[in-house]
């Protein structure tokens, strides 16, 4: 296990193309850290700089207390699992797993023992004499992980390793990776654009956007206290409702074409005239009776059926409001619906900077 320290790291491909804008991150020994963000945000570039596959333009990266900026990838104590498996098609599973040991000059007897031990951990023993073409996608991904594990690295690096698998297999492989990390305890850094993957795997999330870190923290903290409008919108399915508007003289939030939300939260923040973005999770919006306190009226645009519940997308005074409904009472597009927002679950973000506005008590 090794801690990773990323200090002021930048990456540019030319003087005008800065793609990583000064990242500062501390990864503790044995942590499973997930770097999450949309395509093009710089997450894979950051991972490749840790691995030594991309040059660092500014700043430094230290692994186990040793600055590795000028070290070759093989000298950093990292093992990387790629999205495309990168297996040798003419070699058996046994040969693929043990290839790095063979190149390093590890004696055959020791090599065979380590290969079998690793294959047992990832349930590949019955397939050791097969070639990659004879394996399923999940089995090939396990071969790629076994090939990384056999080197006994200090750090595991995963670059979107599950992207090529179908949805059901991805769920199964997530459970296997989490169990593997629990059993081995090796520091792991995992890159993905899939928020469900990130939330279920991570001890700590690093949310990236356009080459910058938006928020670092445990999954529950990032979900319940997003640091910015971007994080609030990116984390969660369905995405958080984000209403642009301003507070009136009575502390109500005016949005859309004049719709009003009664806001009992956000003490000290509801200044008359303050323009902001009000956020609320769809699971905190409920169907209610027309005359219930705080109820707002809207028109159903469309409904997503989930089986155990349905997701209602409604137009409320020109703003989109999404609610999760488990009442079992059917609705049709165009129908009127009454919704209420649970108290104590609102989020407020600056309309200019997008950063979270903290309430005072």
């Amino acid at each position: 296990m090794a801690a990773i320290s990323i200090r002021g790291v930048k990456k540019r491909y030319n003087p005008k193309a800065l793609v990583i804008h000064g990242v500062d991150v501390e990864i503790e020994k044995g942590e499973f850290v997930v770097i999450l963000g949309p395509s093009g945000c710089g997450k894979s570039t950051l991972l490749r700089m840790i691995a030594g596959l991309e040059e660092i333009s500014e700043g430094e990266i230290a692994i186990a207390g040793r600055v590795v900026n000028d070290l070759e990838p093989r000298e950093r104590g990292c093992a990387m699992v790629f999205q495309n498996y990168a297996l040798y098609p003419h070699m058996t599973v046994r040969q693929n797993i043990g290839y790095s040991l063979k190149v390093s000059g590890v004696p055959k007897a020791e090599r065979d023992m380590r290969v079998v031990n690793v294959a047992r951990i990832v349930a590949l023993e019955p397939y050791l004499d097969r070639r990659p073409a004879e394996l399923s996608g999940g089995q090939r991904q396990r071969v790629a992980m076994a090939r990384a594990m056999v080197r006994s690295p200090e750090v595991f690096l995963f670059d979107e390793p599950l992207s090529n698998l179908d949805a059901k297999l991805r769920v199964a492989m997530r459970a296997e990776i989490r169990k593997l990390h629990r059993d081995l305890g090796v520091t792991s850094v995992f890159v993905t654009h899939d928020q469900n993957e990130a939330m279920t795997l991570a001890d700590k999330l690093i949310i990236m956007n356009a080459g910058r870190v938006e928020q670092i923290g445990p999954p529950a903290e990032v979900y319940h206290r997003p640091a910015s409008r971007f994080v609030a919108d990116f984390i969660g399915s369905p995405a958080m409702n984000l209403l642009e508007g301003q507070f009136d003289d009575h502390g109500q939030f005016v949005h859309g074409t004049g719709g009003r939300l009664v806001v009992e939260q956000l003490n000290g923040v509801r200044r008359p005239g303050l323009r902001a973005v009000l956020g609320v999770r769809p699971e905190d919006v409920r169907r209610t009776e027309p005359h219930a306190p705080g109820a707002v009226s809207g028109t159903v645009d469309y409904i997503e059926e989930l089986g155990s519940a349905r997701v209602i997308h409604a137009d409320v005074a020109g703003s989109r409001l999404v609610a999760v409904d488990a009442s079992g009472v059917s609705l049709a597009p165009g129908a009127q619906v009454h919704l209420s927002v649970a108290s104590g679950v609102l989020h407020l973000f600056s309309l200019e900077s997008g950063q979270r506005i903290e309430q005072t008590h």
Side-chain angles (χ1 to χ4, degrees):
M1 289 189 298
I4 303 172
S5 182
I6 302 171
R7 298 184 284 260
V9 165
K10 296 182 181 180
K11 175 66 180 179
R12 57 170 55 87
Y13 291 108
N14 62 59
K16 295 183 179 180
L18 187 63
V19 295
I20 300 291
H21 300 257
V23 170
D24 293 283
V25 175
E26 297 295 328
I27 298 172
E28 305 297 329
K29 291 181 180 179
E31 269 192 317
F32 197 115
V33 172
V34 176
I35 306 175
L36 174 66
S39 297
C41 71
K43 56 189 184 296
S44 289
T45 300
L46 182 59
L47 190 78
R48 290 172 64 84
M49 287 195 289
I50 297 171
L53 302 176
E54 289 273 3
E55 184 179 343
I56 300 166
S57 301
E58 290 183 39
E60 64 180 27
I61 294 176
I63 299 175
R66 178 180 61 161
V67 176
V68 299
N69 289 34
D70 299 322
L71 296 184
E72 294 293 322
R74 65 178 181 274
E75 301 173 304
R76 299 189 179 204
C78 300
M80 196 158 180
V81 181
F82 296 92
Q83 177 180 342
N84 63 359
Y85 317 139
L87 304 179
Y88 296 108
H90 63 286
M91 292 185 182
T92 64
V93 169
R94 187 190 308 274
Q95 292 167 331
N96 266 285
I97 295 173
Y99 184 72
S100 63
L101 301 180
K102 182 178 180 180
V103 171
S104 300
V106 175
K108 187 176 186 305
E110 181 186 346
R111 188 167 74 237
D112 289 345
M113 180 185 67
R114 287 169 65 175
V115 168
V116 170
N117 286 342
V118 168
R120 184 180 302 117
I121 292 172
V122 295
L124 284 174
E125 275 188 294
Y127 310 101
L128 282 172
D129 296 316
R130 295 190 187 182
R131 286 183 167 77
E134 302 172 85
L135 304 177
S136 68
Q139 289 165 342
R140 274 179 267 176
Q141 191 55 270
R142 287 205 296 270
V143 175
M145 289 193 293
R147 185 178 54 190
M149 290 166 55
V150 79
R151 296 170 50 197
S152 301
E154 293 185 287
V155 175
F156 276 131
L157 304 175
F158 297 88
D159 190 8
E160 303 207 45
L162 309 183
S163 295
N164 291 336
L165 306 180
D166 64 55
K168 185 176 181 180
L169 190 51
R170 288 180 74 155
V171 172
M173 287 299 298
R174 288 205 300 258
E176 289 192 29
I177 290 173
R178 201 68 182 99
K179 181 179 183 300
L180 189 64
H181 178 261
R182 186 178 67 243
D183 294 343
L184 300 179
V186 178
T187 306
S188 300
V189 184
F190 189 105
V191 160
T192 183
H193 63 273
D194 185 320
Q195 57 166 293
N196 290 329
E197 209 162 84
M199 295 288 286
T200 54
L201 285 172
D203 296 322
K204 181 162 69 183
L205 285 176
I206 300 171
I207 312 296
M208 292 192 67
N209 176 32
R212 293 180 171 85
V213 172
E214 290 271 344
Q215 187 170 359
I216 301 173
E221 177 184 304
V222 171
Y223 185 83
H224 293 293
R225 292 184 60 81
S228 67
R229 178 177 182 171
F230 172 83
V231 176
D233 191 40
F234 191 74
I235 298 292
S237 181
M240 182 182 285
N241 293 293
L242 296 169
L243 310 178
E244 295 187 5
Q246 66 183 45
F247 291 99
D248 66 13
D249 293 339
H250 304 289
Q252 294 186 342
F253 189 75
V254 184
H255 64 92
T257 56
R260 280 173 162 75
L261 282 177
V262 176
V263 179
E264 297 178 354
Q265 196 189 336
L266 306 172
N267 298 326
V269 176
R270 292 174 285 155
R271 300 189 304 274
L274 173 66
R275 290 180 53 77
V277 179
L278 189 70
V280 59
R281 295 280 179 201
E283 60 266 31
D284 295 318
V285 182
R286 298 280 190 270
R287 284 181 67 180
T288 190
E289 297 300 320
H291 302 296
V296 295
S297 176
T299 303
V300 176
D301 282 339
Y302 65 97
I303 295 173
E304 296 177 79
E305 290 289 351
L306 304 180
S308 59
R310 59 175 56 87
V311 179
I312 301 170
H313 296 254
D315 181 290
V316 177
S319 295
R320 172 63 55 85
L321 199 60
V322 180
V324 176
D325 175 38
S327 69
V329 180
S330 62
L331 275 173
Q336 188 177 47
V337 63
H338 295 88
L339 303 170
S340 66
V341 175
S343 60
V345 293
L346 298 175
H347 309 267
L348 199 65
F349 306 97
S350 167
L351 195 59
E352 290 76 28
S353 70
Q355 295 302 299
R356 183 183 186 86
I357 299 173
E358 293 291 355
Q359 65 174 309
T360 57
H361 297 282

